[in-house]
Amino acid sequence: MTEKNPSAPKSAKTRHSHSGVIHVNEPHTENFTVVGNHLLQHPELSLMAIGLAVHIQSLPAGSPIGIKTLAAKFPEGEIRIAAALRELEEHGYLTRARERLQSGQVTTRTTSYNRPRTAPAPAVEAAAPPKVSAPKTPAADLLARLRTYDSRLMLSERDVRRLVPEVSAWLERGVPVTAVERALTSGLPQDPIKHPAAFLAHRLTSLLPPPLLLPAPAPPSPPALRPDPWQTCDGCERAFRAAEPGRCRDCRSVGAVA
């Protein structure tokens, strides 16, 4: 009869395998956060984004999670933290909406989701009718994302479809997506925006940059002239360049004087 290992905690559950990681799991009864494997094993998120999402989910409600606040906590710096926050926004784990307070001050309201907003809803007995989603193009995504900058720029799916060709005109002229977003969200009026679609349509039309005029290609350079081949002078047997065999210039000069 073999003895049990006395050093292993009785409450721990150990899973052995021939290779790879070995898990020693102990139950948590306090000070813990439940995180789904859909986040921890996400195939598209970076490790930086996954770690930041877990940290945010572990914070109590109302905790500040601005870029500068997070950069003061961790060594990664503002650029990497900002990129990780954008990843979490793109995959539905985070939303940031700019709201104007009654005092006129603009604040950012951040919402963290422990399950991505794009995840399919659980199956129910009576299936709901399918929703018609906005077209999956870079222009449609840009328009739908504007409400995260300012809640007054929230658009309906119909408005998004109507404005997609106007945004596409910017993108076809070589304007980066970030520049289009900046043109549509910077310098917003303090008054309420009653018709966001009309407001954005006006900006897209009035601020449309001209197409880039690429420089004309340089004319082809003339072919290099090849020098005449070497010839041996029939008079002095010196080498000289000429198109055909004969006499060198000195011998021709002497012959001419004679």
Side-chain angles (χ1 to χ4, degrees):
M1 182 175 181
T2 58
E3 296 182 357
K4 295 183 179 180
N5 184 2
S7 63
K10 294 182 179 179
S11 60
K13 295 182 180 179
T14 306
R15 296 181 179 180
H16 294 284
S17 61
H18 296 289
S19 62
V21 65
I22 298 176
H23 293 284
V24 179
N25 299 326
E26 298 186 6
H28 292 281
T29 58
E30 59 181 359
N31 194 25
F32 65 93
T33 302
V34 178
V35 182
N37 282 342
H38 54 82
L39 171 61
L40 298 177
Q41 300 177 10
H42 201 287
E44 298 179 7
L45 286 175
S46 65
L47 284 176
M48 176 68 189
I50 293 174
L52 186 56
V54 174
H55 172 72
I56 293 174
Q57 292 184 20
S58 70
L59 296 175
S63 299
I65 57 169
I67 295 176
K68 293 187 179 295
T69 301
L70 294 171
K73 285 185 177 181
F74 303 104
E76 279 74 13
E78 296 184 10
I79 295 178
R80 294 184 62 188
I81 289 176
L85 290 174
R86 287 195 296 269
E87 285 187 62
L88 296 177
E89 282 186 291
E90 293 174 359
H91 290 85
Y93 288 96
L94 197 74
T95 59
R96 291 181 289 181
R98 299 180 62 187
E99 297 182 358
R100 189 177 299 276
L101 305 178
Q102 294 182 353
S103 61
Q105 182 182 2
V106 177
T107 183
T108 301
R109 183 178 299 277
T110 304
T111 305
S112 172
Y113 299 87
N114 66 346
R115 183 180 293 275
R117 301 180 68 194
T118 55
V124 293
E125 294 183 359
K131 295 182 178 180
V132 179
S133 58
K136 299 297 183 181
T137 63
D141 293 340
L142 184 153
L143 290 166
R145 194 167 56 244
L146 293 179
R147 65 177 182 267
T148 64
Y149 295 91
D150 194 310
S151 58
R152 297 176 297 170
L153 299 180
M154 182 175 295
L155 299 172
S156 66
E157 292 184 353
R158 181 180 179 182
D159 292 334
V160 169
R161 291 191 183 90
R162 184 167 62 87
L163 294 176
V164 159
E166 300 184 28
V167 175
S168 300
W170 285 61
L171 301 177
E172 291 171 358
R173 297 191 178 191
V175 181
V177 172
T178 54
V180 181
E181 292 178 346
R182 187 164 54 249
L184 297 178
T185 58
S186 61
L188 296 177
Q190 296 184 357
D191 299 332
I193 302 176
K194 297 182 179 180
H195 303 288
F199 173 81
L200 295 172
H202 173 72
R203 283 203 167 187
L204 288 169
T205 303
S206 60
L207 301 179
L208 179 64
L212 290 176
L213 297 178
L214 299 178
S221 56
L225 298 178
R226 298 183 60 182
D228 292 335
W230 289 101
Q231 307 289 352
T232 301
C233 178
D234 295 338
C236 63
E237 296 186 351
R238 288 188 303 177
F240 71 102
R241 289 186 179 275
E244 298 177 354
R247 294 176 176 268
C248 66
R249 181 174 56 184
D250 294 339
C251 292
R252 291 199 302 271
S253 301
V254 173
V257 171

